[in-house]
Amino acid sequence: MTAPLLDIKDLRLGVAVNRSTVHPLLKGISFQIMPGEAYGLVGESGSGKSVTSLAVMGLLKKPLTVSGGEILFKGQNLLALPKREMRRLRGNRIAMIFQEPMTALNPLSTVGRQIAEMFVLHQGKSWGEAEKLAVEALGNVRVPNPDRRAKNYPHQMSGGLRQRVMIAMALACDPDLLIADEPTTALDVTVQAEVLRLIKELCAARGTAVLFISHDLGVIASVCQRVGVMYSGCLVEENDTRALFDNPRHEYTRGLLGALPRLGSRSEHGRQRLVDIDSIIADRSKLTETRFIAPRGPEGSQP
Amino acid sequence: MTAPLLQVDDLHVRFPISGGGLLGAGKRTLHAVNGISFELAKGECLSIVGESGCGKSTTALSILGLQEPSEGMIRYRGQPLAGPGAPGRMQRAKAVQMVFQDPYASLNPRQSVHTSLAAPLRLHGVTAASEIEGRIEAMLRNVGLTPEQAKRYPHEFSGGQRQRIGIARALILEPEIVLLDEPVSALDVSIRAQIINLLLDLQEKLGLSYLMISHDLSVVEHMSDRVLVMYFGEVVEEGGWRDIFEAPAHPYTRRLIAAIPDPAAALNPVERQDRVDNVPLLAGRRFVSDGSTSPDVFTAPVPSELVEIAGNHKVRLASA
């Protein structure tokens, strides 16, 4: 069996309210991502999915503090890594795309130069060489007229194109792990479909593993092979995507799936009332005390 | 036949765009809405779907009276709602109200829920304190809040509760038509389900007519009776929800439906293909645009017409 690329073990973190008390945000979550695998974290606002990704990227700032656990990337604990080492890894071996490309891109620099910077910083290329590579990278994410577009500033591009630039930047150094935090939430549905297809195809072709974070079960289902469902700082259920959607076993997962208007269900079964999670789960605070549900199966992958 | 509740006839909205040149040089006209016509019947939910910039919000603003149409008529119960002879703001407020996408941005942070709900009643001549209290209490119960919560301010509520307040505020004057502008797209999945259920319950209980603007087709399929698909200022397809979702005819509608990230569809892509491809052929007629290239918004659109292909199911084809 191959070693996992990312192995998060009992990660606990919280926000320091004052000197003595820490409000917990992650109450001990564990999951693994295999090389080349697309893993989805799904959950509602405040469930802790974004803070998990920030912890992996080493981007936690005060008052967020890790209080326990390990984040092993290729066997190396990222939490114990010196800042300088982490900087070398970030953007190079682990890259990230964000929800809003306009705030993530530098408005004062052309997109070509921003992509080229990746090659200069991480691969020691000269600027001239790097800018050629940047045009190539734009072509790879199917931006039309890449040589002309490389000279554009972010504000001259549409939301979909900007997100492609982000993807080009993230994949510039062929990272082992791509973290995508709600990358398509701000986009129109048809653009979203194109961007999702692009992420899926590029990562599959290069063997890049993906940690995909979204509140949208449909988006997760179309990209990921395995899914973890987060609720209130806990991973409540984890399974292969198909198994999770066909046979959800945790009551929260069942509630979440029932709350979703499904395409085509009205013509098959008539209009059915959507499930109100609060009515089937009388006390939400008790929910996370129930045990974590891991997939059954011959592999017996542990929680 | 009685007049429909709301009738929009050949609505055009154009915006002058300054070219930045001297003495108006380079002035252009942006064609935002190009000849939209539809009717809304009592108790019906009609949805307008389309992507950003297709003109769906401009259409809504025209109906609310916040955007003067360049051409065309909007009638409410046979009476004009825009242009000469249109009623003032006060009468209009009793006919049409709007529920906004982001309730936090649309509620006044300095007003308690009670103040927000009482102000429109007072403006519309309800002076008796007992009646105001009674109506606010009944409305809060209708939207699933408790009368005690009226003393609180918007920041004290969760996102779902705020949207309930937004709905209460829209309904307090008992309008017949409620414009829902992306009413659930800012909400989490579990809250979204609660608000959708609430909107459907209220529609049945109060006999409301909804005009919903949305890009979320799974919500549209769940809630609507009829659907208009808009693309660059024009209706490219309209029909009952079954026509649109089971037999979409226009390539753009098909593209929109195929783009929805739906778990079942993502896991069983073959099944969905069958559903979408099962469409009668439109022999001899071509589509003006298949929705894959953007038309120029600064020129008037190519002449085309909405052709009825089945009972009340229309699709836009190039003029013969």
Side-chain angles (χ1 to χ4, degrees), chain A residues 44-45 188 190 192 218 242 263-264 266-267 271-274 276 278, chain B residues 51-52 188 190 194 197 201 221-224 241 246 261-262 267-268:
Chain A
E44 298 183 90
S45 332
D188 264 327
T190 53
Q192 163 169 290
R242 179 175 293 273
L263 199 62
R266 190 175 170 194
S267 38
R271 180 148 71 198
Q272 287 184 339
R273 210 176 160 75
L274 300 174
D276 181 349
D278 289 334
Chain B
E51 295 179 278
S52 347
D188 260 326
S190 62
Q194 293 170 358
N197 287 341
D201 290 345
E221 182 182 30
H222 186 78
M223 287 187 67
S224 323
W241 66 270
E246 288 177 9
D262 183 75
L267 295 170
N268 311 296

PDB file of all heavy atoms in Angstrom, chain A residues 44-45 188 190 192 218 242 263-264 266-267 271-274 276 278, chain B residues 51-52 188 190 194 197 201 221-224 241 246 261-262 267-268:
ATOM      1  N   GLU A  44     -21.297  23.098   6.008  1.00  0.00           N
ATOM      2  CA  GLU A  44     -21.911  24.419   5.958  1.00  0.00           C
ATOM      3  C   GLU A  44     -20.961  25.466   6.528  1.00  0.00           C
ATOM      4  O   GLU A  44     -19.908  25.114   7.077  1.00  0.00           O
ATOM      5  CB  GLU A  44     -23.229  24.389   6.737  1.00  0.00           C
ATOM      6  CG  GLU A  44     -24.225  23.420   6.118  1.00  0.00           C
ATOM      7  CD  GLU A  44     -25.549  23.430   6.834  1.00  0.00           C
ATOM      8  OE1 GLU A  44     -26.400  24.217   6.446  1.00  0.00           O
ATOM      9  OE2 GLU A  44     -25.720  22.665   7.787  1.00  0.00           O
ATOM     10  N   SER A  45     -21.341  26.741   6.452  1.00  0.00           N
ATOM     11  CA  SER A  45     -20.478  27.800   6.982  1.00  0.00           C
ATOM     12  C   SER A  45     -20.168  27.509   8.443  1.00  0.00           C
ATOM     13  O   SER A  45     -21.045  27.101   9.196  1.00  0.00           O
ATOM     14  CB  SER A  45     -21.157  29.160   6.936  1.00  0.00           C
ATOM     15  OG  SER A  45     -22.079  29.240   5.910  1.00  0.00           O
ATOM     16  N   ASP A 188     -20.742  32.024 -12.584  1.00  0.00           N
ATOM     17  CA  ASP A 188     -21.992  31.579 -13.195  1.00  0.00           C
ATOM     18  C   ASP A 188     -21.944  30.075 -13.453  1.00  0.00           C
ATOM     19  O   ASP A 188     -20.871  29.511 -13.621  1.00  0.00           O
ATOM     20  CB  ASP A 188     -22.168  32.288 -14.544  1.00  0.00           C
ATOM     21  CG  ASP A 188     -23.034  33.521 -14.412  1.00  0.00           C
ATOM     22  OD1 ASP A 188     -23.944  33.493 -13.576  1.00  0.00           O
ATOM     23  OD2 ASP A 188     -22.796  34.487 -15.139  1.00  0.00           O
ATOM     24  N   THR A 190     -22.498  28.035 -16.001  1.00  0.00           N
ATOM     25  CA  THR A 190     -21.816  27.448 -17.156  1.00  0.00           C
ATOM     26  C   THR A 190     -20.306  27.636 -17.040  1.00  0.00           C
ATOM     27  O   THR A 190     -19.541  26.753 -17.405  1.00  0.00           O
ATOM     28  CB  THR A 190     -22.307  28.064 -18.482  1.00  0.00           C
ATOM     29  OG1 THR A 190     -22.196  29.476 -18.390  1.00  0.00           O
ATOM     30  CG2 THR A 190     -23.743  27.700 -18.766  1.00  0.00           C
ATOM     31  N   GLN A 192     -18.762  27.884 -14.155  1.00  0.00           N
ATOM     32  CA  GLN A 192     -18.404  26.958 -13.092  1.00  0.00           C
ATOM     33  C   GLN A 192     -18.137  25.561 -13.653  1.00  0.00           C
ATOM     34  O   GLN A 192     -17.145  24.925 -13.311  1.00  0.00           O
ATOM     35  CB  GLN A 192     -19.537  26.896 -12.067  1.00  0.00           C
ATOM     36  CG  GLN A 192     -19.463  25.690 -11.153  1.00  0.00           C
ATOM     37  CD  GLN A 192     -20.433  25.775  -9.992  1.00  0.00           C
ATOM     38  OE1 GLN A 192     -20.274  26.571  -9.084  1.00  0.00           O
ATOM     39  NE2 GLN A 192     -21.439  24.941 -10.008  1.00  0.00           N
ATOM     40  N   GLY A 218     -23.199  19.020  -4.985  1.00  0.00           N
ATOM     41  CA  GLY A 218     -23.144  18.690  -6.401  1.00  0.00           C
ATOM     42  C   GLY A 218     -21.758  18.898  -6.975  1.00  0.00           C
ATOM     43  O   GLY A 218     -21.247  18.079  -7.745  1.00  0.00           O
ATOM     44  N   ARG A 242     -19.605   7.944  -4.366  1.00  0.00           N
ATOM     45  CA  ARG A 242     -20.848   7.272  -4.761  1.00  0.00           C
ATOM     46  C   ARG A 242     -21.525   6.641  -3.544  1.00  0.00           C
ATOM     47  O   ARG A 242     -22.737   6.789  -3.351  1.00  0.00           O
ATOM     48  CB  ARG A 242     -20.563   6.215  -5.822  1.00  0.00           C
ATOM     49  CG  ARG A 242     -21.798   5.457  -6.269  1.00  0.00           C
ATOM     50  CD  ARG A 242     -21.474   4.526  -7.402  1.00  0.00           C
ATOM     51  NE  ARG A 242     -21.122   5.266  -8.609  1.00  0.00           N
ATOM     52  CZ  ARG A 242     -22.011   5.692  -9.498  1.00  0.00           C
ATOM     53  NH1 ARG A 242     -23.294   5.477  -9.294  1.00  0.00           N
ATOM     54  NH2 ARG A 242     -21.638   6.323 -10.574  1.00  0.00           N
ATOM     55  N   LEU A 263     -32.220  17.854  -9.076  1.00  0.00           N
ATOM     56  CA  LEU A 263     -32.655  17.987 -10.453  1.00  0.00           C
ATOM     57  C   LEU A 263     -33.374  16.711 -10.887  1.00  0.00           C
ATOM     58  O   LEU A 263     -32.854  15.626 -10.714  1.00  0.00           O
ATOM     59  CB  LEU A 263     -31.416  18.218 -11.318  1.00  0.00           C
ATOM     60  CG  LEU A 263     -31.649  18.803 -12.677  1.00  0.00           C
ATOM     61  CD1 LEU A 263     -32.257  20.174 -12.541  1.00  0.00           C
ATOM     62  CD2 LEU A 263     -30.345  18.891 -13.426  1.00  0.00           C
ATOM     63  N   GLY A 264     -34.566  16.876 -11.432  1.00  0.00           N
ATOM     64  CA  GLY A 264     -35.272  15.713 -11.955  1.00  0.00           C
ATOM     65  C   GLY A 264     -36.129  14.992 -10.936  1.00  0.00           C
ATOM     66  O   GLY A 264     -36.964  14.169 -11.305  1.00  0.00           O
ATOM     67  N   ARG A 266     -38.472  16.228  -9.091  1.00  0.00           N
ATOM     68  CA  ARG A 266     -39.860  16.659  -9.113  1.00  0.00           C
ATOM     69  C   ARG A 266     -40.632  15.937 -10.214  1.00  0.00           C
ATOM     70  O   ARG A 266     -41.785  15.569 -10.042  1.00  0.00           O
ATOM     71  CB  ARG A 266     -39.938  18.167  -9.321  1.00  0.00           C
ATOM     72  CG  ARG A 266     -41.341  18.715  -9.123  1.00  0.00           C
ATOM     73  CD  ARG A 266     -41.345  20.224  -9.228  1.00  0.00           C
ATOM     74  NE  ARG A 266     -42.693  20.737  -9.280  1.00  0.00           N
ATOM     75  CZ  ARG A 266     -42.992  21.975  -9.640  1.00  0.00           C
ATOM     76  NH1 ARG A 266     -42.036  22.824  -9.953  1.00  0.00           N
ATOM     77  NH2 ARG A 266     -44.238  22.367  -9.674  1.00  0.00           N
ATOM     78  N   SER A 267     -39.973  15.727 -11.374  1.00  0.00           N
ATOM     79  CA  SER A 267     -40.720  15.063 -12.445  1.00  0.00           C
ATOM     80  C   SER A 267     -40.889  13.575 -12.146  1.00  0.00           C
ATOM     81  O   SER A 267     -41.819  12.954 -12.632  1.00  0.00           O
ATOM     82  CB  SER A 267     -40.061  15.287 -13.807  1.00  0.00           C
ATOM     83  OG  SER A 267     -38.687  15.273 -13.733  1.00  0.00           O
ATOM     84  N   ARG A 271     -43.447  17.158  -6.327  1.00  0.00           N
ATOM     85  CA  ARG A 271     -42.728  18.068  -5.435  1.00  0.00           C
ATOM     86  C   ARG A 271     -42.768  17.540  -4.012  1.00  0.00           C
ATOM     87  O   ARG A 271     -43.835  17.367  -3.441  1.00  0.00           O
ATOM     88  CB  ARG A 271     -43.336  19.461  -5.499  1.00  0.00           C
ATOM     89  CG  ARG A 271     -42.609  20.437  -4.588  1.00  0.00           C
ATOM     90  CD  ARG A 271     -42.623  21.816  -5.148  1.00  0.00           C
ATOM     91  NE  ARG A 271     -43.935  22.411  -5.083  1.00  0.00           N
ATOM     92  CZ  ARG A 271     -44.298  23.466  -5.798  1.00  0.00           C
ATOM     93  NH1 ARG A 271     -43.448  24.027  -6.629  1.00  0.00           N
ATOM     94  NH2 ARG A 271     -45.502  23.969  -5.675  1.00  0.00           N
ATOM     95  N   GLN A 272     -41.596  17.255  -3.485  1.00  0.00           N
ATOM     96  CA  GLN A 272     -41.546  16.782  -2.107  1.00  0.00           C
ATOM     97  C   GLN A 272     -40.943  17.849  -1.230  1.00  0.00           C
ATOM     98  O   GLN A 272     -40.075  18.601  -1.654  1.00  0.00           O
ATOM     99  CB  GLN A 272     -40.722  15.496  -2.040  1.00  0.00           C
ATOM    100  CG  GLN A 272     -41.519  14.355  -2.628  1.00  0.00           C
ATOM    101  CD  GLN A 272     -40.815  13.031  -2.523  1.00  0.00           C
ATOM    102  OE1 GLN A 272     -39.609  12.978  -2.379  1.00  0.00           O
ATOM    103  NE2 GLN A 272     -41.585  11.972  -2.597  1.00  0.00           N
ATOM    104  N   ARG A 273     -41.431  17.895  -0.006  1.00  0.00           N
ATOM    105  CA  ARG A 273     -40.932  18.868   0.942  1.00  0.00           C
ATOM    106  C   ARG A 273     -39.469  18.578   1.229  1.00  0.00           C
ATOM    107  O   ARG A 273     -39.077  17.438   1.431  1.00  0.00           O
ATOM    108  CB  ARG A 273     -41.748  18.763   2.221  1.00  0.00           C
ATOM    109  CG  ARG A 273     -41.862  20.049   2.941  1.00  0.00           C
ATOM    110  CD  ARG A 273     -42.761  19.905   4.148  1.00  0.00           C
ATOM    111  NE  ARG A 273     -42.469  20.997   5.050  1.00  0.00           N
ATOM    112  CZ  ARG A 273     -42.867  22.244   4.849  1.00  0.00           C
ATOM    113  NH1 ARG A 273     -43.573  22.534   3.787  1.00  0.00           N
ATOM    114  NH2 ARG A 273     -42.555  23.193   5.697  1.00  0.00           N
ATOM    115  N   LEU A 274     -38.659  19.642   1.221  1.00  0.00           N
ATOM    116  CA  LEU A 274     -37.242  19.444   1.510  1.00  0.00           C
ATOM    117  C   LEU A 274     -37.061  19.156   2.998  1.00  0.00           C
ATOM    118  O   LEU A 274     -37.811  19.651   3.831  1.00  0.00           O
ATOM    119  CB  LEU A 274     -36.449  20.701   1.123  1.00  0.00           C
ATOM    120  CG  LEU A 274     -36.531  21.091  -0.350  1.00  0.00           C
ATOM    121  CD1 LEU A 274     -35.843  22.418  -0.575  1.00  0.00           C
ATOM    122  CD2 LEU A 274     -35.908  20.029  -1.233  1.00  0.00           C
ATOM    123  N   ASP A 276     -35.900  19.402   6.620  1.00  0.00           N
ATOM    124  CA  ASP A 276     -35.427  20.455   7.512  1.00  0.00           C
ATOM    125  C   ASP A 276     -34.539  19.788   8.564  1.00  0.00           C
ATOM    126  O   ASP A 276     -35.026  19.063   9.424  1.00  0.00           O
ATOM    127  CB  ASP A 276     -36.653  21.118   8.165  1.00  0.00           C
ATOM    128  CG  ASP A 276     -36.259  22.237   9.102  1.00  0.00           C
ATOM    129  OD1 ASP A 276     -35.061  22.356   9.397  1.00  0.00           O
ATOM    130  OD2 ASP A 276     -37.152  22.976   9.528  1.00  0.00           O
ATOM    131  N   ASP A 278     -33.046  20.792  11.076  1.00  0.00           N
ATOM    132  CA  ASP A 278     -33.336  21.117  12.474  1.00  0.00           C
ATOM    133  C   ASP A 278     -34.523  20.342  13.025  1.00  0.00           C
ATOM    134  O   ASP A 278     -34.627  20.139  14.224  1.00  0.00           O
ATOM    135  CB  ASP A 278     -33.602  22.624  12.621  1.00  0.00           C
ATOM    136  CG  ASP A 278     -32.324  23.405  12.446  1.00  0.00           C
ATOM    137  OD1 ASP A 278     -31.256  22.829  12.710  1.00  0.00           O
ATOM    138  OD2 ASP A 278     -32.389  24.573  12.039  1.00  0.00           O
TER     139      ASP A 278
ATOM    140  N   GLU B  51     -27.824  33.836 -16.764  1.00  0.00           N
ATOM    141  CA  GLU B  51     -26.572  34.130 -16.076  1.00  0.00           C
ATOM    142  C   GLU B  51     -26.405  35.629 -15.855  1.00  0.00           C
ATOM    143  O   GLU B  51     -27.203  36.426 -16.348  1.00  0.00           O
ATOM    144  CB  GLU B  51     -25.416  33.562 -16.892  1.00  0.00           C
ATOM    145  CG  GLU B  51     -25.500  32.055 -16.937  1.00  0.00           C
ATOM    146  CD  GLU B  51     -24.392  31.452 -17.749  1.00  0.00           C
ATOM    147  OE1 GLU B  51     -24.506  31.403 -18.978  1.00  0.00           O
ATOM    148  OE2 GLU B  51     -23.401  31.050 -17.142  1.00  0.00           O
ATOM    149  N   SER B  52     -25.359  36.012 -15.143  1.00  0.00           N
ATOM    150  CA  SER B  52     -25.116  37.428 -14.879  1.00  0.00           C
ATOM    151  C   SER B  52     -25.131  38.203 -16.176  1.00  0.00           C
ATOM    152  O   SER B  52     -24.562  37.764 -17.168  1.00  0.00           O
ATOM    153  CB  SER B  52     -23.769  37.665 -14.200  1.00  0.00           C
ATOM    154  OG  SER B  52     -23.210  36.496 -13.714  1.00  0.00           O
ATOM    155  N   ASP B 188     -26.859  28.750   3.473  1.00  0.00           N
ATOM    156  CA  ASP B 188     -26.339  27.391   3.584  1.00  0.00           C
ATOM    157  C   ASP B 188     -27.414  26.372   3.211  1.00  0.00           C
ATOM    158  O   ASP B 188     -28.602  26.660   3.312  1.00  0.00           O
ATOM    159  CB  ASP B 188     -25.918  27.144   5.042  1.00  0.00           C
ATOM    160  CG  ASP B 188     -24.422  27.294   5.201  1.00  0.00           C
ATOM    161  OD1 ASP B 188     -23.696  26.943   4.262  1.00  0.00           O
ATOM    162  OD2 ASP B 188     -23.994  27.750   6.265  1.00  0.00           O
ATOM    163  N   SER B 190     -28.813  23.738   4.576  1.00  0.00           N
ATOM    164  CA  SER B 190     -29.910  23.386   5.480  1.00  0.00           C
ATOM    165  C   SER B 190     -30.873  24.558   5.641  1.00  0.00           C
ATOM    166  O   SER B 190     -32.086  24.378   5.698  1.00  0.00           O
ATOM    167  CB  SER B 190     -29.364  22.956   6.838  1.00  0.00           C
ATOM    168  OG  SER B 190     -28.663  24.002   7.448  1.00  0.00           O
ATOM    169  N   GLN B 194     -35.067  25.270   4.452  1.00  0.00           N
ATOM    170  CA  GLN B 194     -36.106  25.831   5.318  1.00  0.00           C
ATOM    171  C   GLN B 194     -36.797  27.023   4.652  1.00  0.00           C
ATOM    172  O   GLN B 194     -38.020  27.164   4.709  1.00  0.00           O
ATOM    173  CB  GLN B 194     -35.503  26.283   6.649  1.00  0.00           C
ATOM    174  CG  GLN B 194     -34.989  25.128   7.488  1.00  0.00           C
ATOM    175  CD  GLN B 194     -34.175  25.592   8.683  1.00  0.00           C
ATOM    176  OE1 GLN B 194     -33.958  26.786   8.873  1.00  0.00           O
ATOM    177  NE2 GLN B 194     -33.725  24.651   9.480  1.00  0.00           N
ATOM    178  N   ASN B 197     -39.035  25.870   1.761  1.00  0.00           N
ATOM    179  CA  ASN B 197     -40.284  25.324   2.308  1.00  0.00           C
ATOM    180  C   ASN B 197     -41.208  26.450   2.770  1.00  0.00           C
ATOM    181  O   ASN B 197     -42.410  26.433   2.512  1.00  0.00           O
ATOM    182  CB  ASN B 197     -39.993  24.394   3.489  1.00  0.00           C
ATOM    183  CG  ASN B 197     -39.386  23.068   3.045  1.00  0.00           C
ATOM    184  OD1 ASN B 197     -39.491  22.690   1.884  1.00  0.00           O
ATOM    185  ND2 ASN B 197     -38.743  22.375   3.962  1.00  0.00           N
ATOM    186  N   ASP B 201     -44.944  27.363   1.461  1.00  0.00           N
ATOM    187  CA  ASP B 201     -46.073  27.371   2.403  1.00  0.00           C
ATOM    188  C   ASP B 201     -46.824  28.698   2.337  1.00  0.00           C
ATOM    189  O   ASP B 201     -48.057  28.730   2.296  1.00  0.00           O
ATOM    190  CB  ASP B 201     -45.575  27.173   3.844  1.00  0.00           C
ATOM    191  CG  ASP B 201     -45.070  25.759   4.074  1.00  0.00           C
ATOM    192  OD1 ASP B 201     -45.372  24.886   3.234  1.00  0.00           O
ATOM    193  OD2 ASP B 201     -44.379  25.533   5.085  1.00  0.00           O
ATOM    194  N   GLU B 221     -36.446  24.423 -10.584  1.00  0.00           N
ATOM    195  CA  GLU B 221     -37.272  23.259 -10.916  1.00  0.00           C
ATOM    196  C   GLU B 221     -38.190  22.904  -9.746  1.00  0.00           C
ATOM    197  O   GLU B 221     -39.343  22.548  -9.930  1.00  0.00           O
ATOM    198  CB  GLU B 221     -36.401  22.044 -11.262  1.00  0.00           C
ATOM    199  CG  GLU B 221     -37.262  20.840 -11.662  1.00  0.00           C
ATOM    200  CD  GLU B 221     -36.465  19.585 -11.974  1.00  0.00           C
ATOM    201  OE1 GLU B 221     -35.377  19.404 -11.400  1.00  0.00           O
ATOM    202  OE2 GLU B 221     -36.939  18.782 -12.789  1.00  0.00           O
ATOM    203  N   HIS B 222     -37.661  23.048  -8.548  1.00  0.00           N
ATOM    204  CA  HIS B 222     -38.428  22.673  -7.370  1.00  0.00           C
ATOM    205  C   HIS B 222     -39.624  23.609  -7.146  1.00  0.00           C
ATOM    206  O   HIS B 222     -40.692  23.169  -6.760  1.00  0.00           O
ATOM    207  CB  HIS B 222     -37.514  22.694  -6.148  1.00  0.00           C
ATOM    208  CG  HIS B 222     -38.159  22.194  -4.894  1.00  0.00           C
ATOM    209  ND1 HIS B 222     -38.344  20.862  -4.642  1.00  0.00           N
ATOM    210  CD2 HIS B 222     -38.672  22.845  -3.821  1.00  0.00           C
ATOM    211  CE1 HIS B 222     -38.941  20.711  -3.474  1.00  0.00           C
ATOM    212  NE2 HIS B 222     -39.148  21.903  -2.953  1.00  0.00           N
ATOM    213  N   MET B 223     -39.426  24.918  -7.395  1.00  0.00           N
ATOM    214  CA  MET B 223     -40.430  25.898  -6.979  1.00  0.00           C
ATOM    215  C   MET B 223     -41.389  26.377  -8.065  1.00  0.00           C
ATOM    216  O   MET B 223     -42.494  26.818  -7.762  1.00  0.00           O
ATOM    217  CB  MET B 223     -39.732  27.130  -6.387  1.00  0.00           C
ATOM    218  CG  MET B 223     -39.150  26.883  -5.015  1.00  0.00           C
ATOM    219  SD  MET B 223     -38.531  28.396  -4.279  1.00  0.00           S
ATOM    220  CE  MET B 223     -40.028  29.339  -4.030  1.00  0.00           C
ATOM    221  N   SER B 224     -40.961  26.336  -9.351  1.00  0.00           N
ATOM    222  CA  SER B 224     -41.702  27.094 -10.362  1.00  0.00           C
ATOM    223  C   SER B 224     -42.866  26.341 -10.975  1.00  0.00           C
ATOM    224  O   SER B 224     -42.878  25.116 -11.040  1.00  0.00           O
ATOM    225  CB  SER B 224     -40.766  27.491 -11.498  1.00  0.00           C
ATOM    226  OG  SER B 224     -39.519  27.813 -11.014  1.00  0.00           O
ATOM    227  N   TRP B 241     -42.627  24.130 -16.173  1.00  0.00           N
ATOM    228  CA  TRP B 241     -41.363  23.596 -15.667  1.00  0.00           C
ATOM    229  C   TRP B 241     -41.043  22.241 -16.259  1.00  0.00           C
ATOM    230  O   TRP B 241     -39.888  21.903 -16.473  1.00  0.00           O
ATOM    231  CB  TRP B 241     -41.368  23.554 -14.133  1.00  0.00           C
ATOM    232  CG  TRP B 241     -42.353  22.592 -13.534  1.00  0.00           C
ATOM    233  CD1 TRP B 241     -43.640  22.846 -13.187  1.00  0.00           C
ATOM    234  CD2 TRP B 241     -42.122  21.219 -13.225  1.00  0.00           C
ATOM    235  NE1 TRP B 241     -44.234  21.713 -12.695  1.00  0.00           N
ATOM    236  CE2 TRP B 241     -43.324  20.703 -12.694  1.00  0.00           C
ATOM    237  CE3 TRP B 241     -41.022  20.370 -13.345  1.00  0.00           C
ATOM    238  CZ2 TRP B 241     -43.451  19.380 -12.285  1.00  0.00           C
ATOM    239  CZ3 TRP B 241     -41.151  19.047 -12.946  1.00  0.00           C
ATOM    240  CH2 TRP B 241     -42.360  18.562 -12.416  1.00  0.00           C
ATOM    241  N   GLU B 246     -37.695  18.756 -18.765  1.00  0.00           N
ATOM    242  CA  GLU B 246     -37.725  17.410 -19.348  1.00  0.00           C
ATOM    243  C   GLU B 246     -37.471  17.432 -20.852  1.00  0.00           C
ATOM    244  O   GLU B 246     -36.990  16.452 -21.412  1.00  0.00           O
ATOM    245  CB  GLU B 246     -39.071  16.736 -19.060  1.00  0.00           C
ATOM    246  CG  GLU B 246     -39.190  16.349 -17.609  1.00  0.00           C
ATOM    247  CD  GLU B 246     -40.544  15.738 -17.283  1.00  0.00           C
ATOM    248  OE1 GLU B 246     -41.330  15.450 -18.197  1.00  0.00           O
ATOM    249  OE2 GLU B 246     -40.805  15.568 -16.077  1.00  0.00           O
ATOM    250  N   PRO B 261     -24.293  21.512 -11.174  1.00  0.00           N
ATOM    251  CA  PRO B 261     -23.603  20.445 -10.457  1.00  0.00           C
ATOM    252  C   PRO B 261     -24.608  19.720  -9.565  1.00  0.00           C
ATOM    253  O   PRO B 261     -24.915  20.166  -8.477  1.00  0.00           O
ATOM    254  CB  PRO B 261     -22.549  21.180  -9.629  1.00  0.00           C
ATOM    255  CG  PRO B 261     -23.003  22.581  -9.561  1.00  0.00           C
ATOM    256  CD  PRO B 261     -24.081  22.814 -10.567  1.00  0.00           C
ATOM    257  N   ASP B 262     -25.133  18.634 -10.044  1.00  0.00           N
ATOM    258  CA  ASP B 262     -26.132  17.878  -9.295  1.00  0.00           C
ATOM    259  C   ASP B 262     -25.516  16.525  -8.963  1.00  0.00           C
ATOM    260  O   ASP B 262     -24.962  15.869  -9.836  1.00  0.00           O
ATOM    261  CB  ASP B 262     -27.377  17.698 -10.174  1.00  0.00           C
ATOM    262  CG  ASP B 262     -28.479  16.987  -9.438  1.00  0.00           C
ATOM    263  OD1 ASP B 262     -29.116  17.623  -8.589  1.00  0.00           O
ATOM    264  OD2 ASP B 262     -28.679  15.791  -9.699  1.00  0.00           O
ATOM    265  N   LEU B 267     -22.851  11.640 -10.822  1.00  0.00           N
ATOM    266  CA  LEU B 267     -22.503  10.241 -10.615  1.00  0.00           C
ATOM    267  C   LEU B 267     -23.064   9.339 -11.706  1.00  0.00           C
ATOM    268  O   LEU B 267     -22.568   8.253 -11.943  1.00  0.00           O
ATOM    269  CB  LEU B 267     -22.991   9.778  -9.231  1.00  0.00           C
ATOM    270  CG  LEU B 267     -22.295  10.473  -8.054  1.00  0.00           C
ATOM    271  CD1 LEU B 267     -22.984  10.154  -6.749  1.00  0.00           C
ATOM    272  CD2 LEU B 267     -20.824  10.082  -7.990  1.00  0.00           C
ATOM    273  N   ASN B 268     -24.152   9.793 -12.356  1.00  0.00           N
ATOM    274  CA  ASN B 268     -24.743   8.986 -13.433  1.00  0.00           C
ATOM    275  C   ASN B 268     -24.892   9.830 -14.690  1.00  0.00           C
ATOM    276  O   ASN B 268     -26.004  10.143 -15.093  1.00  0.00           O
ATOM    277  CB  ASN B 268     -26.123   8.454 -13.011  1.00  0.00           C
ATOM    278  CG  ASN B 268     -26.074   7.819 -11.642  1.00  0.00           C
ATOM    279  OD1 ASN B 268     -25.398   6.814 -11.439  1.00  0.00           O
ATOM    280  ND2 ASN B 268     -26.766   8.407 -10.691  1.00  0.00           N
TER     281      ASN B 268
END
